[in-house]
């Protein structure tokens, strides 16, 4: 099958119109007319991920985070980032990124996160006019949990070494939880206004954390890498599409590379 067939299905599921204006989503590198057989999903496209793709004979990488956030100023191949681009071209690997459009899509990233967090009655935190898509999700726990207990649950759920907790009391009960994948610090006022008891998001800014405490709100930050959940979820989607449309792919796999840049020392 051609790469454009998979691209069209991705864009039907997560329309590009849902993405933030400046988000460089979509086809990152390669020819949409290229024939593809082996698809790999990834959170980030890093040199080690590309090396893995080459070793496994992958010819299409479906990533959550865009390959190119900032344009290259030169093509000096002594630089690892530039060499990665050259390796992708040399090995005919198409790269496609579904980022904030996948975050906002119904059944996409934030719904996956909400399901992992055991939320019920889930709805968009900041809805689009259709009421079904939008930024983040908010829902209810079946039974209340304390900040301490829920933070530990979040840590285990996303398999991270640690979570950062912003709270005046670790014994405060939580029932209504908001979540926004990735960097959602600037949206915490919306989570507070929506009636959430706590907000799960990543990359929370130090001074904004002081505002959270002043509001007697709760934030649990499990690291941006919590979005790695997308790898297996995207595999499931592509495999379902393959079954539905009888695509002739030889394999759909998730990258096994851990691209979390942080090491925690306790």
């Amino acid at each position: 099958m051609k790469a454009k067939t998979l691209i069209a299905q991705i864009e039907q599921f997560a329309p590009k119109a849902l993405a933030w204006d400046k988000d460089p989503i979509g086809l990152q590198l390669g020819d949409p007319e290229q024939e593809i057989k082996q698809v790999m999903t990834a959170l980030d496209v890093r040199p080690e991920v590309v090396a893995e793709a080459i070793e496994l004979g992958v010819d299409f990488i479906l990533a959550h985070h865009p390959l190119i956030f900032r344009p290259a100023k030169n093509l000096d191949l002594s630089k690892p980032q530039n060499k990665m681009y050259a390796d992708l071209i040399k090995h005919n690997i198409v790269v496609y990124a579904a980022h904030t459009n996948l975050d906002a899509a119904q059944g996409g990233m934030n719904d996956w996160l909400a399901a992992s967090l055991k939320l019920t009655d889930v709805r968009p935190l900041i809805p689009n006019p259709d009421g079904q898509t939008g930024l983040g999700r908010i829902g209810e726990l079946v039974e209340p949990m304390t900040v301490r207990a829920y933070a530990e649950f979040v840590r285990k759920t996303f398999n991270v070494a640690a979570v950062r907790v912003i709270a005046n009391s670790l014994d405060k009960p939580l029932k209504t939880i908001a979540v926004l994948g990735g960097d959602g610090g600037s949206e915490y006022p919306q989570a507070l206004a929506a009636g959430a008891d706590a907000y799960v998001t990543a990359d929370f800014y130090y001074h904004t954390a002081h505002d959270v405490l002043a509001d007697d709100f709760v934030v649990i930050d499990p690291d941006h890498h919590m979005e790695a959940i997308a790898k297996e979820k995207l595999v499931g989607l592509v495999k379902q599409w393959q079954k539905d449309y009888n695509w002739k792919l030889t394999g759909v796999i998730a990258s096994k590379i851990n691209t979390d840049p942080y090491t925690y020392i306790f």
Side-chain angles (χ1 to χ4, degrees), residues 167-183:
N168 289 316
S169 170
L170 296 180
D171 296 320
K172 182 178 180 179
L174 306 176
K175 186 69 164 63
T176 303
I177 308 293
V179 59
L180 196 156
D183 177 358

Side-chain angles (χ1 to χ4, degrees), residues 207-235:
H207 295 296
T208 308
H210 286 146
D211 296 335
V212 168
L213 293 179
D215 284 329
D216 196 24
F217 193 43
V218 176
V219 170
I220 300 173
D221 180 346
D223 186 303
H224 203 119
H225 199 255
M226 68 175 175
E227 291 187 319
I229 189 175
K231 293 192 291 185
E232 292 295 343
K233 295 295 186 180
L234 288 170
V235 165

Side-chain angles (χ1 to χ4, degrees), residues 19-91:
W20 294 352
D21 290 342
K22 296 182 180 180
D23 191 15
I25 60 161
L27 181 64
Q28 306 283 286
L29 184 150
D31 183 355
E33 295 290 339
Q34 178 180 318
E35 292 289 331
I36 61 170
K37 294 183 178 180
Q38 181 89 336
V39 175
M40 185 172 80
T41 65
L43 176 60
D44 305 290
V45 185
R46 304 299 305 144
E48 58 271 30
V49 174
V50 173
E52 177 189 26
I54 292 169
E55 181 181 354
L56 296 174
V58 166
D59 42 30
F60 191 107
I61 296 176
L62 171 54
H64 182 48
H65 293 148
L67 171 68
I68 305 172
F69 273 108
R70 299 176 182 85
K73 295 181 179 179
N74 58 58
L75 294 177
D76 177 356
L77 299 189
S78 68
K79 297 180 179 180
Q81 189 79 6
N82 289 346
K83 184 178 183 300
M84 179 180 71
Y85 302 148
D87 288 342
L88 287 164
I89 294 170
K90 179 180 179 181
H91 291 276

